[in-house]
Amino acid sequence: MRTLLVLGGTAWLGREVARLALERGYQVTCLARGDSGPVADGVRSVRADRTHPDAYDAVRDQLWDDVVDVSWQPGQVRSALAALSAAAAHWSYVSSCSVYAAHDLPGIDEDAAVLAPHPGDEAAIEDYGAAKVACEQAVVQALGDRALLARAGLLGGPGDPSDRFGYWVGRFALAGDGPVLVPDAPDQPSQTLDVRDLAAWLLRAGEQGVHGPVNAVGEQRALGELLAVARQVGGPADVVSAEPQWLLDNDVAGWMGARSLPLWLPWPDHAGFGARADARALHLGLTRRPVQDTLTDTLAYERALGLSRPRKAGLTRAEELDLIGRVG
C-alpha cells in the first residue's frame, strides 16, 4: 500500500489531496494543527505545530512514498526537510507562479527568472513570492531529482476560501434577471485550475516520480469567455460593462479582496499573469475538466454557503448596484 504524508491536510488543497489519495487506496497521514477543520474520514491525523522542534516526532520513523507540503514559510519547510527528507521517496512541494520575477509577458515558462529568495525563516504575506522561492530552493537542495515543484496558478472549485473564483457564478445567480457589473476587459487572459484536478495530478506525479518545476495552471481563456460561461451556469442577468479606469477611479480593486471585481487584472505589469505556459504540465499528465463543470460545482457550493453572505472577495450587492446606477 502506497504511503502519503500531507503536511497540512485540513485546509482546501491538502484536504482534497488526502481525500483523493484515500480513494486511490493510499495509506494517508495528515500532520497539521487542525485549525482549518477535520481531516477527511479515514485519514490518520497527527496534530502538531510546525513551529515547534518536536513537530515531526510522530512521523519521522516511517518511510513515505510521497510527502506533499503546501507551506510558504521557509522555516517550516526547512524543518520538515531536516526531519523527513531521508525517509521520503518523493516530495511534492506546492509552490506558486508568484515566484517569477516578472508577470508582464504572456507565455512565461518554468525557465524564467524567479525572485530573490526571502532570507529568513518567517515571511509576511507581502513577501509571499520570495518566501516560496526560498522554500523551493530548500526542497531542491535536500531532495534533488526526488522533488516536484508544482507552481500553482489560480485555483478554483468548491471550497475556495478566497471567494475569488466563485464570485462570478454566484453573483449571476444572485442577480437573477437583474444587472451584474463586469469590467470592460473581455480579452484579458485568465487561467483557473480546478483544485480537484491539481490534487489528482499531484498524486499521479508522485507515483511517476515527476521532478523539477512545473507550472500547474488552468486552461487559458479570455475573461469575457469565462464570464459568459459563468452567466450560462448562474443565470440570465443583464451584463453592465464599466471601463477599467472608471472602476479604478471609483475605488474598485482588481483580482481579489474587498470591493473588487475578482480575476480582473487592470495592471500592465501583470498582463501575463493569466497566460502562463502550460506545455510542461500537460506533457507530464495534468488533465483539466471543462470549466463549465467547475462552475456548476462551484455554484452548488456558493448556494450552500448563501449567495448574499459577506464575502472575502468581490462587491457587496449594494456596492454593485450603486456603481451600476452611476456608471452610465
Side-chain angles (χ1 to χ4, degrees):
M1 179 180 293
R2 189 169 175 83
T3 57
L4 172 69
L5 174 62
V6 182
L7 299 177
T10 62
W12 190 31
L13 174 60
R15 184 177 173 83
E16 189 62 27
V17 168
R19 186 188 67 79
L20 288 176
L22 284 174
E23 290 184 359
R24 294 174 72 88
Y26 286 38
Q27 181 186 87
V28 183
T29 299
C30 291
L31 184 147
R33 290 179 300 178
D35 294 346
S36 300
V39 298
D41 290 342
V43 170
R44 175 194 174 205
S45 176
V46 175
R47 295 181 67 90
D49 185 337
R50 295 179 62 181
T51 64
H52 291 179
D54 62 352
Y56 308 100
D57 287 356
V59 296
R60 68 168 68 242
D61 294 329
Q62 182 173 347
L63 298 178
W64 302 102
D65 292 306
D66 200 5
V67 175
V68 174
D69 190 5
V70 301
S71 177
W72 59 279
Q73 292 295 350
Q76 292 185 10
V77 171
R78 293 187 186 109
S79 64
L81 293 165
L84 303 170
S85 61
H90 185 267
W91 197 284
S92 298
Y93 179 64
V94 181
S95 187
S96 168
C97 287
S98 295
V99 299
Y100 292 113
H103 307 286
D104 56 337
L105 297 176
I108 291 177
D109 65 17
E110 293 84 354
D111 297 326
V114 298
L115 296 166
H118 183 74
D121 284 340
E122 295 185 10
I125 191 63
E126 294 79 11
D127 296 316
Y128 178 80
K132 281 288 193 182
V133 173
C135 294
E136 284 192 359
Q137 291 185 355
V139 170
V140 172
Q141 183 177 1
L143 290 127
D145 62 5
R146 291 183 288 140
L148 166 66
L149 307 178
R151 291 175 176 167
L154 179 67
L155 299 181
D160 180 5
S162 76
D163 279 343
R164 282 176 290 187
F165 184 72
Y167 172 81
W168 290 109
V169 69
R171 182 50 50 92
F172 283 118
L174 177 63
D177 58 0
V180 170
L181 183 68
V182 305
D184 188 11
D187 297 327
Q188 175 203 304
S190 179
Q191 289 172 303
T192 302
L193 179 63
D194 193 301
V195 68
R196 297 166 294 185
D197 294 337
L198 176 56
W201 178 71
L202 287 171
L203 295 176
R204 293 194 300 271
E207 292 166 359
Q208 297 163 10
V210 173
H211 62 275
V214 182
N215 289 343
V217 295
E219 181 179 359
Q220 184 180 326
R221 54 177 45 83
L223 181 60
E225 176 191 350
L226 175 63
L227 298 188
V229 179
R231 182 173 179 266
Q232 291 172 6
V233 173
D238 289 329
V239 173
V240 178
S241 296
E243 290 293 328
Q245 190 57 54
W246 185 90
L247 291 168
L248 294 173
D249 290 344
N250 283 273
D251 300 319
V252 179
W255 189 240
M256 65 180 294
R259 197 175 169 83
S260 72
L261 288 178
L263 313 190
W264 170 49
L265 289 165
W267 311 291
D269 60 348
H270 279 67
F273 205 74
R276 307 285 185 188
D278 60 0
R280 184 176 297 181
L282 297 180
H283 175 72
L284 292 171
L286 176 65
T287 59
R288 302 177 293 209
R289 70 193 68 204
V291 69
Q292 184 166 359
D293 293 353
T294 300
L295 285 165
T296 298
D297 294 344
T298 300
L299 179 56
Y301 174 75
E302 290 285 334
R303 288 191 187 280
L305 294 181
L307 295 177
S308 60
R309 75 186 191 281
R311 306 183 61 90
K312 295 178 182 177
L315 300 171
T316 67
R317 186 60 173 158
E319 289 171 338
E320 180 180 32
L321 291 174
D322 173 67
L323 290 162
I324 288 172
R326 296 189 283 117
V327 70

